[in-house]
Amino acid sequence: QVQLVESGGGLVQPGGSLRLSCAASGSFFRLYTMGWYRQAPGKERELVATISSDGNSNYADSVKGRFFIFRDNAKNTADLQMNSLKPEDTAVYYCRCSAVGNLYWGQGTQVTVSS
């Protein structure tokens, strides 16, 4: 069982930045694929970014060049740096862990981009 706790959401103006952090439990974090997903009101949950155990990252087209995913295996964290935020980035952001064929989700953190 892996527990995930997100932090760092909030209200930001268009063009601003936020950094989300996901802290994971367990001793095998370095083996996990970590990801960030988001769900806006009335929409399906969608992929934002993932990072594999060997550090390869993947991004949704809508966030490429603006968002960056990092992992720190010593701290068991996976962060999402979000720059040049737009109102359409407003959503609940969820951390996801893929571990040994199982998927685990965090509770979500709200990001609101508004002036």
Side-chain angles (χ1 to χ4, degrees):
Q1 187 79 7
V2 177
Q3 293 182 328
L4 304 172
V5 178
E6 300 108 332
S7 60
L11 172 65
V12 63
Q13 292 187 342
S17 298
L18 275 178
R19 189 177 181 104
L20 306 181
S21 186
C22 175
S25 65
S27 303
F28 301 100
F29 178 82
R30 68 190 185 281
L31 302 179
Y32 305 157
T33 293
M34 300 299 296
W36 284 94
Y37 291 71
R38 66 186 181 188
Q39 187 166 16
K43 294 189 176 182
E44 298 287 320
R45 191 172 297 188
E46 64 177 4
L47 167 73
V48 177
T50 61
I51 185 165
S52 66
S53 58
D54 57 3
N56 289 323
S57 57
N58 178 56
Y59 298 92
D61 288 343
S62 59
V63 306
K64 280 182 181 176
R66 300 189 298 123
F67 290 15
F68 301 93
I69 189 168
F70 302 94
R71 68 185 299 153
D72 186 333
N73 291 338
K75 295 181 179 179
N76 279 23
T77 58
D79 289 2
L80 183 70
Q81 177 66 42
M82 306 185 293
N83 302 322
S84 302
L85 283 160
K86 305 175 181 180
E88 51 263 43
D89 295 318
T90 295
V92 178
Y93 283 70
Y94 297 90
C95 178
R96 192 184 89 166
C97 170
S98 175
V100 198
N102 295 314
L103 295 177
Y104 302 93
W105 292 90
Q107 80 286 355
T109 184
Q110 177 70 46
V111 172
T112 302
V113 184
S114 175
S115 55

